[in-house]
Amino acid sequence: MLFRDTGKIIALFGLSATAQAQEKVQSALAPASDQASGIALLWWAMLIGSIIIFAAVMVILGTGLWRARRRETQLSRLASRNLVIIAGVAIPLLVLIFLVGGSLFLGKDLSSRAPDGSQTIEVTGWRWWWEIRYLDADGELIATTANEIHVPVDRPVRLVLKSGDVIHSFWVPNLHGKTDLMPGKVNTSWFTAKREGVFFGQCAEFCGTQHALMGFRVVAQPQAQFQAWLAQQAENAQAPTTEQQALGREVFTDVGCMGCHDIRGVTPRTMSTGRDPKGPPLIHDLRSSTKAEMAEQDSPIPAPDLTHFGSRTTLAAGARPSTKGHIGGWLTDPQGIKPGALMPPTLLEPQELHALVAYLQSLE
Ligand code: CUA
């Protein structure tokens, strides 16, 4: 029992060394990139250093108390003074110089320019989800997705970080430290994933009620797999292959989903990114309970691109696994899962709901 609990506590602090735990826990101590390794190394140096210093202080304190109790002679004046100078001034100074130097060098390394040939990924933080855009070497858009970032292993990834509303912070502990996404400012960062895996990320700056449910995943995969994935993401949406899916597509275009969401090849224009605030007005869902609220909006509400929704493993920025039941639950009552999210409930007949879910799941 004790061992089980200890195991849990160790895993909680991310100290678990098993490969399995590394992939399941977002941990800065299971680094999967050089950047994260540097951060982990500094962390370990600080922890081990602190333990040594704490132990030394305790020994000195214990010795003092012990000697006082046995009424042994006190240290001579000179010895006391030397102790203060060495242990109270010289050693702390050395430790501080080491720590400041270490973090300065590491910080310089981490904030260096991304190498040529990096894959550029633009990440925009919205309340409360992540818009992910893949750009080619000329800065042209290749594909747009949301909340799940695929990256190649052993090729540098350059992140261009923006915010559409308030300050968010991009953090994948296994791959890098935190970088803020600031409204009106562009921050950049880069890392190279050194091994395959699924790494969990989280918004690390309080940004409103659903800050805690603003998660994402980074899927690091071999170059060839990544290229195939990206090529597929660049395609337009798959056409329905069953009657139910066809009905689902009809529901999607009829009830107003495309007022906010894009499905490339289906929706008439790019509205989901919010980059064109003067775009056409929203298509309102007559059955939507928030019709009045939506009518007040004079620009499209940014929402995740759904062109390849079926290829994602979670929905609502990692809030739920992307299964039939959860998708249905999310469409029916998003506020029940993420109160405050901009997604209004979609009031549908059961048959329509099933069709819409089937259609969305088919969009691989
Ligand atoms: Cu976005 Cu916290």
Side-chain angles (χ1 to χ4, degrees), residues 168 203 205-207 211 214:
H168 304 272
C203 178
E205 178 82 41
F206 181 73
C207 53
H211 159 70
M214 191 171 168

Side-chain angles (χ1 to χ4, degrees), residues 238 244-245 263 306-313 315 321-328 331 353-364:
Q238 284 177 25
Q244 196 190 29
Q245 290 169 13
I263 294 183
L306 301 178
T307 310
H308 297 284
F309 174 81
S311 70
R312 305 206 279 264
T313 58
L315 55 100
S322 189
T323 60
K324 196 174 173 185
H326 284 299
I327 299 168
L331 290 170
L353 180 64
H354 279 288
L356 182 54
V357 173
Y359 175 57
L360 290 173
Q361 285 197 301
S362 77
L363 297 175
E364 289 195 348

Side-chain angles (χ1 to χ4, degrees), residues 214-243:
M214 191 171 168
F216 59 101
R217 258 139 231 258
V218 176
V219 180
Q221 53 194 171
Q223 304 250 18
Q225 260 180 44
F226 168 76
Q227 287 305 340
W229 174 86
L230 187 57
Q232 188 249 341
Q233 294 288 313
E235 297 280 320
N236 279 351
Q238 284 177 25
T241 52
T242 67
E243 249 174 62

Side-chain angles (χ1 to χ4, degrees), residues 36-116:
S37 297
I39 294 170
L41 185 69
L42 186 65
W43 189 91
W44 281 112
M46 283 184 178
L47 177 73
I48 294 166
S50 309
I51 291 173
I52 293 170
I53 291 168
F54 180 76
V57 169
M58 287 302 118
V59 166
I60 294 171
L61 181 68
T63 312
L65 289 173
W66 186 68
R67 290 171 68 124
R69 222 168 123 177
R70 298 191 42 166
R71 302 192 191 285
E72 278 186 16
T73 42
Q74 302 293 310
L75 285 181
S76 70
R77 255 197 115 91
L78 186 68
S80 311
R81 205 183 61 186
N82 285 346
L83 183 67
V84 169
I85 289 174
I86 293 169
V89 179
I91 293 178
L93 203 66
L94 283 176
V95 170
L96 284 177
I97 288 171
F98 170 75
L99 287 179
V100 170
S103 18
L104 277 180
F105 278 111
L106 180 66
K108 188 171 158 277
D109 244 20
L110 294 182
S111 58
S112 61
R113 254 180 61 114
D116 290 338

